[in-house]
Amino acid sequence: FWSSHTTEGPSRHKNGMYYLYTDDAPFCFSETVLRPISEGWTVTFVALQLAFFLGFRRVFLIGVDHSFSVQGSPNEKQVLQGDDLNHFAADYFKGKEWQLPDLEGSEMAYRLAKFTFDRAGRQVLDATVGGQLDVFRKIGYSDALAECVRKKKDPLR
């Protein structure tokens, strides 16, 4: 999937890849990807909308630490000098332009995702080890994996 601002819905290209289009105005949780969806200040919000559209009833978040060591204003564009201490790889944004995180905006998006999943009788659980996000109910990482293995063995469960 590729994300870009447009008024179109997803389109298929000759290589079999589908391009997903985003639009931050208005801010909403989209239950379909047939129209542009909101980015919600975090790629995780986009992933939650995709999971909802695909029909997932339970979604486990893993690795959403929700804390960053940065200097500047939310959404400010900067070129990262030195190692990236905020992501899983030191060269993730190293030497590249990126937008500083907007944790307050992200939390608004997460609360909207939680509301939408809850209203539909679905669930988002946070299995991040030591994460700072407090919007979703926490579940142990090992418990989340065990639940997925049980589900795979008995899909009707």
Side-chain angles (χ1 to χ4, degrees), residues 4-10 20-25 33-37:
S4 68
H5 294 276
T6 185
T7 57
E8 300 175 27
L20 178 66
Y21 296 106
T22 61
D23 181 9
D24 275 336
V33 297
L34 301 178
R35 295 183 300 276
I37 65 173

Side-chain angles (χ1 to χ4, degrees), residues 1-148:
F1 289 95
W2 174 258
S3 174
S4 68
H5 294 276
T6 185
T7 57
E8 300 175 27
S11 60
R12 185 167 190 221
H13 292 264
K14 63 182 176 185
N15 61 4
M17 180 178 279
Y18 285 86
Y19 288 77
L20 178 66
Y21 296 106
T22 61
D23 181 9
D24 275 336
F27 170 61
C28 64
F29 185 96
S30 182
E31 297 179 15
T32 180
V33 297
L34 301 178
R35 295 183 300 276
I37 65 173
S38 175
E39 292 178 14
W41 298 277
T42 172
V43 68
T44 308
F45 186 67
V46 173
L48 287 169
Q49 291 171 95
L50 284 170
F52 192 93
F53 174 73
L54 292 171
F56 287 91
R57 300 199 49 76
R58 296 190 85 189
V59 175
F60 297 98
L61 299 179
I62 298 173
V64 182
D65 58 11
H66 197 61
S67 63
F68 292 86
S69 176
V70 297
Q71 291 184 0
S73 301
N75 302 303
E76 179 182 317
K77 289 185 181 181
Q78 292 185 355
V79 174
L80 183 64
Q81 305 298 326
D83 288 344
D84 186 344
L85 305 176
N86 295 298
H87 292 91
F88 54 88
D91 62 347
Y92 192 72
F93 279 121
K94 185 177 186 175
K96 298 175 187 159
E97 184 177 89
W98 76 308
Q99 279 185 279
L100 296 184
D102 183 341
L103 297 181
E104 186 176 333
S106 296
E107 285 185 20
M108 286 186 344
Y110 289 138
R111 290 185 196 293
L112 182 54
K114 182 181 184 322
F115 173 81
T116 306
F117 270 84
D118 288 351
R119 184 181 63 191
R122 301 183 192 184
Q123 198 172 28
V124 178
L125 300 162
D126 186 356
T128 299
V129 176
Q132 301 299 309
L133 183 62
D134 65 0
V135 172
F136 304 103
R137 185 170 70 84
K138 301 284 189 186
I139 184 172
Y141 178 75
S142 297
D143 294 335
L145 290 180
E147 195 167 314
C148 292

